[in-house]
Amino acid sequence: MGTKSALAAPSLLAADFGNLAAALKSIEEAGADWIHVDVMDGHFAPNLSFGPKTVKDLRPLTKLVMDCHLMVENPMDFVKSFADAGADYFTFHVEAVYHSNRMIRLIKDAGMKAGVCVVPGTPVSFLEELLGELDLVLVLLVNPGFGGQKMITSSLEKLVRLKALREERGYRYLLSVDGGVTTENAALAREKGADVIVAGSAFFDAADKAEAVRRFKG
Ligand code: DX5
Ligand code: ZN
């Protein structure tokens, strides 16, 4: 039996920051499903990227889901501004907060779907008490900060465990992967359980973006 198809979420991190409206258009024209917005603060991740105003300005240009990935030290400080900007998903790093359960409640109370993300060094067991509350779990397959890195394929095993836990306990979170995903390894990520495929450089460097999206989705 073939693996279930996935949603494609190109990451704006790899787009031309000088023309994000065109980047958005190329994502839509290629048939992708979500826009992945990688937010970095130069502390949790050693890079700077977008803020809530980026989402606010892009929001009226597309109906696609705005999937915001906050690689920041104090994600609690940004819940309201991203909700007001029109973010659909707010995904924070469990490594960056003391009180993840409270964060999830705050995100949902602000009207967004709640996701958590783990870096390669964080085990799935660290998420166990949160899984019943989540809309999304994002498994980062590279060390956060930069696009174009090589996937740490051993991290894909986290999907297998998270998928089993979801089935065992009747949870409903989506499983997403991010970092080093290409048209070549996307099928492996789907086989391991990915429901959403985030890709930055593999999308924006593709000569045929529609074909790349087809390969991400399966
Ligand atoms: C973490 C970022 C990147 C980005 C994807 O650094 O989250 O993983 O989304 O970058 P690519 O797809 O170019 O590896
Ligand atoms: Zn991301």
Side-chain angles (χ1 to χ4, degrees):
M1 183 188 81
T3 44
K4 195 168 62 65
S5 73
L7 296 170
S11 164
L12 288 181
L13 191 69
D16 170 5
F17 287 17
N19 199 341
L20 288 177
L24 217 50
K25 204 161 167 3
S26 71
I27 290 172
E28 289 191 325
E29 284 169 357
D33 303 284
W34 292 6
I35 316 274
H36 187 79
V37 184
D38 279 312
V39 182
M40 299 184 212
D41 63 358
H43 294 280
F44 183 82
N47 196 355
L48 290 164
S49 58
F50 310 108
K53 190 172 183 304
T54 310
V55 174
K56 182 169 179 288
D57 291 351
L58 292 176
R59 182 68 281 174
L61 306 181
T62 182
K63 297 220 176 333
L64 293 186
V65 166
M66 288 280 198
D67 171 37
C68 298
H69 173 196
L70 279 89
M71 290 168 271
V72 303
E73 266 184 357
N74 306 305
M76 200 171 283
D77 295 349
F78 297 100
V79 170
K80 183 169 181 340
S81 58
F82 274 83
D84 292 348
D88 296 289
Y89 279 81
F90 185 104
T91 298
F92 67 96
H93 274 264
V94 287
E95 303 92 352
V97 303
Y98 290 116
H99 305 295
S100 294
N101 178 284
R102 184 193 299 160
M103 263 303 288
I104 294 166
R105 177 56 39 224
L106 278 174
I107 294 165
K108 289 183 171 179
D109 289 352
M112 297 180 286
K113 290 191 185 299
V116 294
C117 185
V118 284
V119 299
T122 303
V124 165
S125 55
F126 199 65
L127 300 178
E128 283 216 38
E129 299 307 317
L130 302 171
L131 293 174
E133 305 293 323
L134 288 168
D135 298 302
L136 182 132
V137 177
L138 176 58
V139 176
L140 202 50
L141 302 173
V142 294
N143 292 300
F146 301 92
Q149 299 180 70
K150 196 168 167 355
M151 180 194 286
I152 302 171
T153 44
S154 58
S155 291
L156 288 173
E157 294 313 310
K158 294 184 186 179
L159 292 168
V160 177
R161 287 200 289 287
L162 285 161
K163 190 172 174 203
L165 280 168
R166 181 175 65 189
E167 279 156 17
E168 249 167 66
R169 302 185 189 172
Y171 293 154
R172 51 175 178 68
Y173 48 85
L174 287 174
L175 286 172
S176 181
V177 288
D178 176 4
V181 181
T182 67
T183 51
E184 302 309 312
N185 61 29
L188 176 62
R190 290 197 309 272
E191 275 159 37
K192 296 287 184 182
D195 304 304
V196 183
I197 299 281
V198 173
S201 38
F203 175 80
F204 283 101
D205 295 351
D208 182 340
K209 291 182 172 54
E211 174 56 22
V213 165
R214 278 192 289 276
R215 302 278 297 269
F216 296 146
K217 289 168 73 83

